[in-house]
Amino acid sequence: MTLEPAPADTRTAPWWADAVIYQVYPRSFADADGDGMGDLPGITARLDHLARLGVDALWLSPFYLSPQHDAGYDVADYRQVDPRFGTLADFDALREKADALGIRTIVDLVPNHTSSEHVWFQQALASAPGSPERDRYLFRDGRGPDGAEPPNNWTSVFGGPGWTRVPDGQWYLHLFDVTQPDLNWHNREVVAEFDDVLRFWLDRGVAGFRVDVAHGLVKHPDLPDWDGHTAMVEGTTRADGADPIEEHVPAPMFDQDGVHEIYRHWNEVLAEYDGDRMMVAEAWVEPAPRLAKYVRPDEMQQAFNFEFLIEGWDAAGMARAVENVMSANEAVGAPTTWVLSNHDVVRHASRFGLADPTHRPPGIGPDDEQPDAGVGLRRARAATLAMLALPGSAYLYQGEELGLPEATQLPAEVRQDPTFVRSGGAELGRDGCRVPLPWQAGAPAYGFSPTGASWLPQPAAFADHAVDVQEGVPGSTLELYRQLTALRRQLRLGTGTMAWADVHAPDEGVLAFTTEGVLVVLNASGRSFELPAGAELLLASVPDAVDGGALAPDTAVWLRLP
Ligand code: NOJ
């Protein structure tokens, strides 16, 4: 089978079609002012790290004015930088330096909800039911004789009810935290405001937007009851147990057809600007053909392909995800994206070290099964090696280039993710993948902050992963990532087509494909695997991956075909 993502012609393909894009989580990348919280000047000062890593673009998670009840995904002003992170001038300086280094800047757009501290929500609270101010959000009367029951039974993705009552008796919808009221996308002011927000950042030179909860903006008009469950990244599970992939009925709050009109319109806004500006949808949508609708030619340019992430360390699952997503995208003429880690999931170096390496726990705590760090990292490096050879664009999450593990010993009192609180501790949440980066093993806070302050405590094991410990060390994870991006660029991987190789045997744990004259083999079989004779070794996930012509378990290689 040959899988042909479009566009295959690299001379005409836009920059993002095969870009390696690095996610910067501003709270945790680098802290210049010493308050223990990362900031924009900290990022600017460390941009050389990204240049040496060989990435094409950086995506900044939110740095806007925000009370930080959901780490900035609760925006109080879309045109202001939160003072914790700096100023607009700091943003301009970051973007300019990144441009000078050949790195484009993508910013996060959070259109599904605002913060409850946004001036609009404050106006809505101060206004009467039925007022234009309330119409920007989803206010409804309650059910029951005195309206004391919420308008429907929806729950918040973070746990607890999806509705909160205000003093005059009405309720407002919040699919996430109580401080994140959902906007009403049928309201013209909302539409006009976000056009303006897009232009504000496009005028400031951003290359594009990562669109948060892109599948959530439009709700079913009847707001019907729904008994399923929604988890971040993996999406919805139906209460009746029916497989949403076999029988697609979207949850009434997600993936409604009306969202596409919004993205067609935004596509036109971006087209007013030069330089192939782009949008990437964060949409937990299945099956793949539904997700592909977001990347039709007149909508967004990319959508995160979470199916690959969800499959975990399992050759058959990975192969299935590759086929599903590539054929669905091919049908709409869009290249694919790949991602293994982000700020919402347990880091892949730790997930892959669990007894079941396809398991995706909602956080890992001191009382949970602890991942095998060595096995996890070995597999993570192999999976990344395969990912970076696949056609399309790839997203890296800060720290994965250091082989960082999840922080699994965080005590309850330091946890800040609203999921932890709203689920009553049942879900530990995402703090474990958000711990500040280690730059220098011997420095306070491992070089994250000049004062040694760190908004989440860093595990002692981070010292072994610090940038200065890995710098120039053959075989280190950092040097592997640098080699991967350099060779990927040189061999033009990411731009071509792929085909499963003769030795591809997913049911036996071996994933193998060819692309641009390179044979990629990943061994998740648990046994040594005999490689085809005569191939030249280009790159291995660990130095001892190949021994006597056999590929060791939990490793992967790029080979030059004879
Ligand atoms: C998805 C973001 O990635 C996540 O961090 C956030 O909590 C939710 N959207 C709500 O904005």
Side-chain angles (χ1 to χ4, degrees), residues 251-269:
M253 66 292 272
F254 289 128
D255 195 28
Q256 302 294 304
D257 289 337
V259 294
H260 297 290
E261 191 185 320
I262 299 169
Y263 303 133
R264 279 193 285 272
H265 174 60
W266 288 1
N267 181 297
E268 289 170 4
V269 174

Side-chain angles (χ1 to χ4, degrees), residues 70 73 113 158 176 210 212-213 282 343-344 430 434:
D70 184 22
Y73 283 94
H113 44 263
F158 292 157
F176 294 89
R210 175 267 190 193
D212 189 63
V213 199
E282 188 234 11
H343 66 295
D344 289 331
R430 303 159 290 173
R434 299 175 173 182

Side-chain angles (χ1 to χ4, degrees), residues 17 84 145 165 176 186 204 294-295 312-313 377 384 394 407 439:
R84 294 173 183 87
R165 200 169 195 196
F176 294 89
H186 293 296
R204 289 199 109 82
Y294 290 75
V295 290
W313 179 254
L377 179 55
T384 301
W439 296 92

Side-chain angles (χ1 to χ4, degrees), residues 246-390:
E246 296 293 318
E247 189 196 333
H248 183 74
V249 182
M253 66 292 272
F254 289 128
D255 195 28
Q256 302 294 304
D257 289 337
V259 294
H260 297 290
E261 191 185 320
I262 299 169
Y263 303 133
R264 279 193 285 272
H265 174 60
W266 288 1
N267 181 297
E268 289 170 4
V269 174
L270 264 63
E272 294 166 16
Y273 290 79
D274 61 359
D276 290 323
R277 314 284 174 117
M278 54 79 80
M279 295 176 280
V280 53
E282 188 234 11
W284 326 318
V285 169
E286 289 178 314
R290 285 293 299 189
L291 183 62
K293 286 180 182 274
Y294 290 75
V295 290
R296 287 177 290 192
D298 58 350
E299 295 199 29
M300 299 214 200
Q301 286 67 26
Q302 296 185 339
F304 290 120
N305 157 16
F306 290 131
E307 197 172 330
F308 185 68
L309 180 159
I310 285 170
E311 291 294 347
W313 179 254
D314 170 45
M318 286 178 180
R320 202 167 41 235
V322 167
E323 290 191 5
N324 285 346
V325 178
M326 288 188 64
S327 53
N329 276 30
E330 189 187 339
V332 296
T336 317
T337 65
W338 309 99
V339 61
L340 286 165
S341 281
N342 67 27
H343 66 295
D344 289 331
V345 297
V346 170
R347 285 180 176 277
H348 68 289
S350 293
R351 273 188 285 130
F352 293 174
L354 293 170
D356 173 1
T358 65
H359 183 45
R360 295 175 312 283
I364 299 178
D367 300 331
D368 297 324
E369 177 202 344
Q370 297 297 299
D372 181 322
V375 171
L377 179 55
R378 189 174 166 91
R379 291 174 176 167
R381 290 168 59 132
T384 301
L385 192 123
M387 174 178 89
L388 286 175
L390 285 164

Side-chain angles (χ1 to χ4, degrees), residues 457-472:
Q458 297 158 297
F462 271 30
D464 300 337
H465 294 271
V467 173
D468 69 342
V469 169
Q470 302 196 43
E471 184 87 53

Side-chain angles (χ1 to χ4, degrees), residues 474-528:
S476 71
T477 305
L478 177 58
E479 293 300 338
L480 172 69
Y481 270 70
R482 288 175 176 168
Q483 282 181 302
L484 281 168
T485 55
L487 201 54
R488 172 186 160 96
R489 189 174 299 218
Q490 187 190 325
L491 300 174
R492 306 174 76 82
L493 304 184
T495 63
T497 58
M498 66 157 286
W500 295 124
D502 293 344
V503 293
H504 181 57
D507 293 338
E508 285 149 46
V510 175
L511 182 89
F513 58 91
T514 57
T515 180
E516 301 298 292
V518 175
L519 170 65
V520 179
V521 187
L522 174 143
N523 183 3
S525 73
R527 303 177 297 277
S528 287

Side-chain angles (χ1 to χ4, degrees), residues 140-163:
R140 292 288 185 277
D141 293 330
R143 294 199 284 204
D146 53 0
E149 299 296 319
N152 69 23
N153 70 351
W154 294 2
T155 54
S156 149
V157 174
F158 292 157
W163 296 89

